[in-house]
Amino acid sequence: MTTLLYDGSFDGLFTAIFEVFEYRYKDVEIASSERFHQENIFAEIHEVITQPDKSERVLNKLEQNIGKQGVYKLLKVFLSEDPDLENLILSAVRQSVKKPEINILENFADSDVLKISKICKSVDRERHRMTAFVRFEKMQDGVFFSKIDPDFNVLPLIRKHFKDRYQDQKWMIYDLRRNYGLLYNLNDCEFFYPDEKLDLNHYQQKFHDEEKSYQLLWQRYFTKTNIVERKNMKLHIQHVPKRYWKYLTEKW
């Protein structure tokens, strides 16, 4: 058994996949160096150095075999943070090389392909919920700030949605769990990676006065329009699961 250790990046993973074919490894696994715990003391360790040109060659070949949508599905598997994501993606690449004439991601009889499909559906649901439940709060500097804590790393998947929808205001979305975010400054929409976790314990003190008034107004409106006799908590939770309530002003 040979274990290929990579740096946890998307390019790093596809560099590792390139080297699986380059060195003709058969009995092989790929693991992120951050999550790797060696269980087989006889396994040979191969350190992968990320090389974008190798990654691009694999992705270009994949696009020819399974199309852009197929590559997008594998990106969602990567962002799912599933413990077996590396080997699922490697399995898909290997199958696409063996059978380039068909889209192997539609072969649901294969257990790996079926799991990829299920992961993609779960990631898509979380992506949709983030676009629906994200709430921005206006800060003193005029930037609209939102904090999220999704089950999957969906920030790259919602970037275009928010950039297209909120083009006329500066905003920032911060992933609490993964300690990085998106920043839009009216021109560019870029990821940012703070050295330390943002201190959110007292962030409400930085609210703009308009934001405080808006939140109070919205909470009052929600209370007044909530008809107790027609309350159906079971149905409500189906549409808005409790774990998303922390994003909603009316639930505070």
Side-chain angles (χ1 to χ4, degrees), residues 8 20 30 32-33 35 43 79 113 130 162 167 171 180 214-215 230 240 246:
V20 168
I30 302 175
S32 165
S33 54
R35 294 184 297 163
L79 295 174
V113 172
M130 285 298 104
F162 286 100
Q167 297 182 16
W171 53 262
Y180 84 112
Y214 164 77
Q215 290 189 5
R230 298 177 63 180
V240 188
K246 58 190 172 185

Side-chain angles (χ1 to χ4, degrees), residues 95-202:
Q95 291 187 58
S96 74
V97 171
K98 289 180 181 178
K99 301 176 181 179
E101 70 281 359
I102 63 172
N103 188 341
I104 54 90
L105 292 181
E106 296 177 358
N107 177 25
F108 301 118
D110 181 88
S111 59
D112 287 342
V113 172
L114 183 60
K115 185 172 182 180
I116 287 172
S117 177
K118 290 179 178 178
I119 288 173
C120 287
K121 288 179 181 178
S122 296
V123 172
D124 279 336
R125 280 195 296 269
E126 190 74 341
R127 175 190 58 79
H128 174 72
R129 285 168 173 165
M130 285 298 104
T131 60
F133 299 138
V134 161
R135 294 292 186 269
F136 285 100
E137 300 157 330
K138 189 175 184 180
M139 311 307 283
Q140 292 174 2
D141 59 5
V143 174
F144 287 83
F145 175 76
S146 177
K147 58 188 185 300
I148 64 174
D149 186 19
D151 286 346
F152 308 113
N153 183 16
V154 296
L155 202 52
L157 303 179
I158 63 176
R159 175 182 182 179
K160 185 178 185 302
H161 169 86
F162 286 100
K163 183 177 183 295
D164 292 345
R165 186 169 182 178
Y166 301 104
Q167 297 182 16
D168 59 345
Q169 59 195 40
K170 296 180 180 179
W171 53 262
M172 180 169 67
I173 303 175
Y174 176 65
D175 187 326
L176 297 167
R177 188 176 306 189
R178 296 161 188 87
N179 190 36
Y180 84 112
L182 270 176
L183 178 63
Y184 177 67
N185 62 5
L186 300 181
N187 294 308
D188 302 312
C189 185
E190 303 292 344
F191 294 106
F192 68 91
Y193 304 86
D195 293 332
E196 299 178 357
K197 286 192 174 184
L198 297 186
D199 181 10
L200 300 177
N201 293 328
H202 306 292

Side-chain angles (χ1 to χ4, degrees), residues 5-6 15-16 24 28 42 53 70 75 89 106 112 120 137 148 165 169 172 180 186-187 200 210 225 239 245 252:
L5 292 184
Y6 75 107
T15 300
R24 299 183 180 181
V28 65
F42 299 106
D53 58 324
L75 170 63
I89 294 175
E106 296 177 358
D112 287 342
C120 287
E137 300 157 330
I148 64 174
R165 186 169 182 178
Q169 59 195 40
M172 180 169 67
Y180 84 112
L186 300 181
N187 294 308
L200 300 177
E210 292 177 2
T225 57
H239 289 288
W245 288 10
W252 295 351

Side-chain angles (χ1 to χ4, degrees), residues 49-67:
I49 299 174
T50 298
Q51 299 180 53
D53 58 324
K54 288 186 175 182
S55 172
E56 188 174 354
R57 286 175 64 180
V58 178
L59 290 169
N60 287 340
K61 187 65 177 177
L62 265 178
E63 189 174 319
Q64 292 176 20
N65 293 349
I66 61 176

